[in-house]
Amino acid sequence: MREEVRAYCRAAVSRSRRFERREFHEFRRWLESTRNLVHLSVVLFVPLLVGLVTLVANATNLSFLLFPPLASGAYLLFAHPEERYSSPLRFVAGLTVGALCGWLAIELTGWLFYAGGPGSIHAPSAALAMLLTGAATWAFSIEEPAAFSTALLAVVDDAPGFSYVLSIAVSSLLVAGVFVLWHRRVYRHRARYLYQSTKGDDHVLVPMRGDHADATASFGARIAAAHDAGKVVLLDIVESPKDVATDGGTEREVSTATKTHASHLEACAERIEETMDVPCEVVVIERGAEAPATTALGAAREANCDLIVTPYERADGRTASFVTSLFRTDMDVIAHRSADGRTDWSRVLVSVRRASDVAHSMLDFACRLTGRAGKVSLCHCIDNEHERRDAESMLAELVETFAERIETRVAHGPIEEFLADASSRQNLLMLGASADRSAVSRLLSPATFQRLHDIECDVAIVDRRYRPLERE
């Protein structure tokens, strides 16, 4: 009984650990989107900064009036770290100049006009504060929306004079300092900290199937060769040899076809090792009762591979079951459709639907393929011009984490027409497998790669699902 209880407890602990690892990995992949990282930073840092400033205000008897403009300015800094108004210098100078203009407006109008009764706000002071703030921020190119808030709050009757200006200056410096530290140590280097899941995909399994299997093997080898720890495993699934009778019993007969396949794989492996300087192994497996995709997945796990690069196949006018079955597994998969047996890709066009870990992975693969001498372009198609600004911002967020120079393009019109036209100037088109769409959505509108017919270059379809943290 005790052994059964212990076994049950061990199983429960093991399941809880797998759950924790899976949830942690999913959270990390969620953070790989720049927008998600920015939103999380806003949620965490703005409340902490306001709380910190509150402690300082209580200890030094600073005015609570500074909090509203400080909070809105801090949100603007962290929510839009690369935009015009996200300069820490502009933030500090704008808020301080706004407070100074408000204080000056009170002093000037106090000399010229009657200040009014208790509890009232002097209209000339408010108007002059806005005028001075607008002129000063414009003249010194420190336009800051929150500056008008600090200026207007200064004309409140119980505003603490010049100490209010000092409060704004000190508090804004504190917020700006935290932002600079976050920007330099976290945001600017977020690819180093967050995109650890794309640091893998360097152990590549290539099922040698179809007429252009050698081209696909070169494709997978170039991806693996970009990392020092990379390796390639060439897989061939052959028919089981027959049993033949002998005087001593029965022996397994190795067919001529099997020998031919093995020789071809070894020759391909030698060529890859010589030209791309990456280790290459050969695996030949007998076909059993299980489906070929299941066999390939088992071989990938046995060889400790984290990426399968397979030739793209079609059957009855649709994507072949071998490819679709691999797309349903928990392994990263690239289906490569070769147009002419090309083994070098210097111009790659990456088409993305939204910012995601898959989009980042496709850019990572494209940069590996092209190297330093190649050219990578990133594109997105919109339905109307109102979407252009958001699309340009999304593409900018994706490319800014890469050291390579990447061109971005936003096109207005159907994605199929744009890609068909652009394919004549590219060696490779890379797009996602749309695996995150619902069954109803795929039924109403097939995936983009299934609607491409007039593409003149190679096509790579990326499905990213690998979860290394789930493995024991």
Side-chain angles (χ1 to χ4, degrees):
M1 184 63 181
R2 291 182 178 178
E3 292 297 327
E4 294 179 358
V5 173
R6 290 176 180 176
Y8 177 80
C9 291
R10 285 195 295 268
V13 171
S14 178
R15 284 195 297 269
S16 64
R17 288 177 178 175
R18 286 196 299 268
F19 176 78
E20 291 176 358
R21 293 173 181 175
R22 181 172 62 251
E23 292 303 313
F24 175 79
H25 186 66
E26 292 298 330
F27 175 71
R28 191 176 194 121
R29 292 181 65 172
W30 179 81
L31 270 184
E32 289 181 1
S33 170
T34 297
R35 293 187 180 184
N36 292 337
L37 173 63
V38 167
H39 291 163
L40 183 63
S41 298
V42 169
V43 171
L44 293 178
F45 283 97
V46 173
L48 289 175
L49 283 172
V50 172
L52 180 61
V53 173
T54 303
L55 290 176
V56 175
N58 291 334
T60 57
N61 198 28
L62 296 180
S63 173
F64 189 78
L65 292 175
L66 62 90
F67 289 101
L70 199 67
S72 62
Y75 171 81
L76 194 63
L77 278 177
F78 285 95
H80 308 282
E82 297 295 337
E83 294 189 4
R84 176 184 179 185
Y85 294 110
S86 294
S87 165
L89 178 61
R90 186 190 303 272
F91 170 75
V92 175
L95 266 64
T96 304
V97 166
L100 183 62
C101 290
W103 175 74
L104 287 175
I106 295 174
E107 296 298 320
L108 290 174
T109 54
W111 295 340
L112 300 175
F113 303 99
Y114 173 64
S120 64
I121 298 177
H122 198 208
S125 298
L128 184 58
M130 294 295 96
L131 177 62
L132 292 176
T133 302
T137 56
W138 184 20
F140 296 106
S141 298
I142 52 173
E143 291 94 336
E144 172 68 35
F148 292 89
S149 299
T150 59
L152 190 59
L153 287 172
V155 304
V156 177
D157 281 349
D158 57 353
F162 191 73
S163 63
Y164 172 73
V165 180
L166 293 178
S167 301
I168 289 292
V170 173
S171 302
S172 60
L173 279 171
L174 177 62
V175 173
V178 174
F179 171 77
V180 169
L181 183 64
W182 171 82
H183 193 275
R184 291 181 178 178
R185 298 301 179 94
V186 178
Y187 183 80
R188 187 178 296 176
H189 300 287
R190 60 193 181 281
R192 181 193 307 171
Y193 301 127
L194 295 179
Y195 296 115
Q196 295 298 321
S197 53
T198 61
K199 300 302 181 184
D201 290 326
D202 48 13
H203 292 181
V204 182
L205 178 82
V206 182
M208 301 294 283
R209 300 166 61 92
D211 297 332
H212 295 297
D214 288 5
T216 302
S218 297
F219 182 94
R222 289 193 180 276
I223 290 178
H227 290 174
D228 294 336
K231 76 170 183 178
V232 183
V233 178
L234 304 182
L235 170 68
D236 199 357
I237 303 175
V238 300
E239 297 291 342
S240 300
K242 299 177 181 179
D243 292 335
V244 294
T246 64
D247 294 339
T250 59
E251 292 183 355
R252 305 289 284 178
E253 180 186 63
V254 180
S255 66
T256 303
T258 301
K259 295 179 181 178
T260 302
H261 288 186
S263 299
H264 175 72
L265 258 64
E266 291 173 355
C268 184
E270 292 178 1
R271 184 170 61 253
I272 288 174
E273 289 182 343
E274 292 176 0
T275 59
M276 302 182 192
D277 192 26
V278 60
C280 190
E281 304 174 3
V282 172
V283 176
V284 179
I285 299 179
E286 298 178 6
R287 178 178 297 175
E290 60 187 10
T294 305
T295 302
L297 181 63
R301 289 174 172 167
E302 186 69 23
N304 195 31
C305 293
D306 47 18
L307 174 66
I308 297 177
V309 176
T310 182
Y312 181 74
E313 303 176 20
R314 291 181 65 85
D316 300 326
R318 298 181 298 178
T319 304
S321 61
F322 178 79
V323 177
T324 56
S325 297
L326 289 178
F327 282 165
R328 297 190 186 103
T329 66
D330 62 352
M331 184 74 65
D332 283 4
V333 178
I334 301 179
H336 171 238
R337 190 182 78 184
S338 178
D340 52 9
R342 169 184 296 276
T343 58
D344 179 70
W345 300 267
S346 59
R347 298 188 305 276
V348 179
L349 176 64
V350 180
S351 175
V352 297
R353 182 163 53 94
R354 59 184 178 86
S356 64
D357 59 323
V358 177
H360 190 275
S361 294
M362 289 193 291
L363 278 176
D364 178 60
F365 292 142
C367 292
R368 296 195 209 181
L369 289 169
T370 58
R372 295 183 178 180
K375 178 181 179 182
V376 177
S377 300
L378 180 67
C379 72
H380 175 76
C381 287
I382 57 178
D383 297 325
N384 57 74
E385 287 298 325
H386 298 293
E387 302 174 357
R388 182 171 296 276
R389 180 172 296 182
D390 289 339
E392 291 174 347
S393 176
M394 180 263 291
L395 296 183
E397 290 175 355
L398 284 171
V399 303
E400 66 189 11
T401 58
F402 289 85
E404 295 81 359
R405 299 180 60 183
I406 301 175
E407 175 191 25
T408 60
R409 300 180 62 182
V410 177
H412 184 186
I415 181 68
E416 301 91 340
E417 295 180 7
F418 171 77
L419 296 179
D421 178 67
S423 64
S424 61
R425 301 182 294 275
Q426 306 294 330
N427 301 142
L428 174 70
L429 167 63
M430 189 171 291
L431 63 163
S434 300
D436 58 343
R437 296 171 59 196
S438 64
V440 175
S441 176
R442 290 195 296 269
L443 180 63
L444 295 176
S445 177
T448 302
F449 71 88
Q450 295 177 331
R451 292 179 275 139
L452 299 178
H453 304 292
D454 301 322
I455 301 299
E456 301 179 19
C457 63
D458 289 8
V459 177
I461 305 149
V462 179
D463 179 56
R464 184 168 180 256
R465 299 192 180 189
Y466 184 53
R467 300 180 177 88
L469 294 176
E470 290 184 16
R471 296 187 181 180
E472 293 294 340

